[in-house]
Amino acid sequence: MPGIDACLHEIMALPGARGAAIVDWTSGLALGTAGESPNGDHETTATETAELARAAAEYPAFASAGSAAGPLAEPVAEPSGAGTREASGDGEGPPVEDLIVTSRTGYHVLRFVETTFDSSVFLHLWLDRDTGNLALARLRLQQLAERLVLA
């Protein structure tokens, strides 16, 4: 199970990877960065991508069908008294798995990470459009998000 540095190292090994970060979208802070930043400043990029991630995670339009609440919803007691579940429908993490923003020269892939505490973390990959493989990048980010250990 990789930690932050190992995860970023694996992300940067992807073909066409230009930069990567692990970001807390509630605060906009980068927990770790590697490679380049699109605007030359990793902290500014983290803040800007956190705004995008927050909007996608909080607005009901992006939630799965039949769900009216995002990952910030309060837990709801089960009728049987068997515990709690999230009010986001199936209770399995954020309603959005990933976001892809396409520019003329690259892709920005944001992959939400489900954590045991508040699931407010995402992986951000800046991928070169000419040399990167978007499908491979999405699959690898999914695998890394499932294995990432945040301590």
Side-chain angles (χ1 to χ4, degrees):
M1 301 241 174
I4 291 174
D5 291 335
C7 182
L8 290 170
H9 180 73
E10 286 188 46
I11 292 172
M12 290 305 295
L14 287 167
R18 299 203 48 198
I22 298 175
V23 180
D24 178 326
W25 56 265
T26 56
S27 66
L29 295 175
L31 304 177
T33 62
E36 302 173 57
S37 174
N39 59 9
D41 179 18
H42 283 289
E43 290 303 322
T44 301
T45 300
T47 302
E48 292 170 353
T49 56
E51 287 293 320
L52 181 61
R54 188 172 21 258
E58 291 178 349
Y59 287 122
F62 297 109
S64 53
S67 172
L72 299 179
E74 293 296 318
V76 176
E78 290 287 346
S80 66
T84 61
R85 65 174 171 78
E86 282 188 23
S88 63
D90 60 8
E92 303 218 4
V96 177
E97 291 180 356
D98 57 25
L99 299 172
I100 301 170
V101 177
T102 305
S103 69
R104 287 191 166 96
T105 60
Y107 302 105
H108 294 268
V109 184
L110 281 62
R111 177 70 189 198
F112 288 85
V113 177
E114 188 172 349
T115 63
T116 56
F117 43 99
D118 63 0
S119 296
S120 65
V121 176
F122 66 89
L123 303 173
H124 172 220
L125 167 64
W126 179 30
L127 189 65
D128 184 83
R129 192 168 178 160
D130 292 332
T131 60
N133 182 328
L134 183 57
L136 175 63
R138 285 191 66 226
L139 289 172
R140 291 302 308 265
L141 286 179
Q142 176 187 8
Q143 294 166 354
L144 286 169
E146 290 171 356
R147 296 182 6 234
L148 179 62
V149 174
L150 297 170

